[in-house]
Short mmCIF file of all heavy atoms in Angstrom, two decimals:
data_model
loop_
_atom_site.label_atom_id
_atom_site.label_comp_id
_atom_site.label_asym_id
_atom_site.label_seq_id
_atom_site.Cartn_x
_atom_site.Cartn_y
_atom_site.Cartn_z
N GLY A 10 -51.32 148.12 78.82
CA GLY A 10 -51.53 146.96 79.67
C GLY A 10 -51.97 147.38 81.06
O GLY A 10 -52.34 148.53 81.29
N LEU A 11 -51.91 146.42 81.96
CA LEU A 11 -52.28 146.64 83.36
C LEU A 11 -51.01 146.75 84.20
O LEU A 11 -50.12 145.89 84.10
CB LEU A 11 -53.13 145.46 83.84
CG LEU A 11 -53.50 145.44 85.33
CD1 LEU A 11 -54.38 146.63 85.68
CD2 LEU A 11 -54.22 144.14 85.67
N VAL A 12 -50.94 147.78 85.01
CA VAL A 12 -49.77 148.00 85.84
C VAL A 12 -50.23 148.55 87.19
O VAL A 12 -51.27 149.20 87.29
CB VAL A 12 -48.79 148.97 85.15
CG1 VAL A 12 -49.41 150.35 84.97
CG2 VAL A 12 -47.47 149.05 85.88
N GLN A 13 -49.47 148.27 88.23
CA GLN A 13 -49.78 148.80 89.55
C GLN A 13 -49.34 150.25 89.66
O GLN A 13 -48.41 150.69 88.96
CB GLN A 13 -49.09 147.97 90.63
CG GLN A 13 -49.73 146.60 90.84
CD GLN A 13 -49.16 145.89 92.06
OE1 GLN A 13 -48.02 146.11 92.44
NE2 GLN A 13 -49.96 145.03 92.68
N ALA A 14 -49.98 150.97 90.55
CA ALA A 14 -49.61 152.35 90.79
C ALA A 14 -48.13 152.43 91.17
O ALA A 14 -47.62 151.59 91.93
CB ALA A 14 -50.46 152.94 91.91
N GLY A 15 -47.46 153.42 90.59
CA GLY A 15 -46.02 153.56 90.81
C GLY A 15 -45.18 152.86 89.76
O GLY A 15 -43.96 153.08 89.70
N GLY A 16 -45.82 152.05 88.93
CA GLY A 16 -45.10 151.31 87.90
C GLY A 16 -44.87 152.12 86.64
O GLY A 16 -45.20 153.31 86.57
N SER A 17 -44.30 151.44 85.64
CA SER A 17 -43.95 152.10 84.38
C SER A 17 -44.44 151.29 83.19
O SER A 17 -44.59 150.06 83.28
CB SER A 17 -42.42 152.24 84.28
OG SER A 17 -41.91 153.06 85.31
N LEU A 18 -44.67 151.99 82.11
CA LEU A 18 -44.98 151.38 80.83
C LEU A 18 -44.35 152.23 79.74
O LEU A 18 -44.19 153.44 79.92
CB LEU A 18 -46.49 151.30 80.58
CG LEU A 18 -47.32 150.22 81.27
CD1 LEU A 18 -48.80 150.43 80.97
CD2 LEU A 18 -46.88 148.83 80.83
N MET A 83 -43.74 156.14 80.36
CA MET A 83 -44.61 156.57 81.45
C MET A 83 -44.10 155.97 82.75
O MET A 83 -44.09 154.74 82.91
CB MET A 83 -46.05 156.14 81.18
CG MET A 83 -46.59 156.60 79.84
SD MET A 83 -48.33 156.23 79.60
CE MET A 83 -48.31 154.44 79.62
N LEU A 86 -46.73 155.83 87.43
CA LEU A 86 -48.12 155.82 86.99
C LEU A 86 -49.08 155.83 88.18
O LEU A 86 -48.79 155.24 89.24
CB LEU A 86 -48.39 154.61 86.11
CG LEU A 86 -47.86 154.74 84.68
CD1 LEU A 86 -47.72 153.39 84.01
CD2 LEU A 86 -48.76 155.65 83.86
N ALA A 87 -50.20 156.50 87.98
CA ALA A 87 -51.22 156.62 89.01
C ALA A 87 -52.57 156.18 88.43
O ALA A 87 -52.73 156.18 87.21
CB ALA A 87 -51.30 158.06 89.50
N THR A 91 -55.20 156.05 84.02
CA THR A 91 -55.95 155.02 83.31
C THR A 91 -56.75 155.65 82.17
O THR A 91 -57.53 156.58 82.38
CB THR A 91 -56.90 154.28 84.26
OG1 THR A 91 -56.12 153.57 85.22
CG2 THR A 91 -57.79 153.31 83.51
N VAL A 115 -54.41 151.57 78.75
CA VAL A 115 -53.52 151.58 79.91
C VAL A 115 -54.40 151.60 81.16
O VAL A 115 -55.24 152.49 81.31
CB VAL A 115 -52.59 152.80 79.91
CG1 VAL A 115 -51.83 152.90 81.22
CG2 VAL A 115 -51.62 152.71 78.73
N THR A 116 -54.21 150.63 82.02
CA THR A 116 -54.97 150.55 83.26
C THR A 116 -54.01 150.50 84.43
O THR A 116 -53.12 149.63 84.47
CB THR A 116 -55.87 149.30 83.27
OG1 THR A 116 -56.75 149.34 82.13
CG2 THR A 116 -56.71 149.27 84.54
N VAL A 117 -54.18 151.42 85.36
CA VAL A 117 -53.31 151.51 86.52
C VAL A 117 -54.14 151.17 87.75
O VAL A 117 -55.12 151.86 88.06
CB VAL A 117 -52.68 152.90 86.66
CG1 VAL A 117 -51.70 152.92 87.84
CG2 VAL A 117 -51.98 153.31 85.37
N SER A 118 -53.75 150.12 88.45
CA SER A 118 -54.48 149.69 89.63
C SER A 118 -53.87 150.31 90.87
O SER A 118 -52.66 150.52 90.95
CB SER A 118 -54.47 148.17 89.74
OG SER A 118 -53.15 147.71 89.91
N SER A 119 -54.72 150.58 91.85
CA SER A 119 -54.24 151.21 93.10
C SER A 119 -53.81 150.17 94.12
O SER A 119 -54.01 148.99 93.96
CB SER A 119 -55.34 152.09 93.67
OG SER A 119 -56.51 151.34 93.88
#
Side-chain angles (χ1 to χ4, degrees):
L11 174 64
V12 64
Q13 286 189 332
S17 298
L18 282 174
M83 306 186 296
L86 283 161
T91 295
V115 171
T116 302
V117 184
S118 63
S119 56

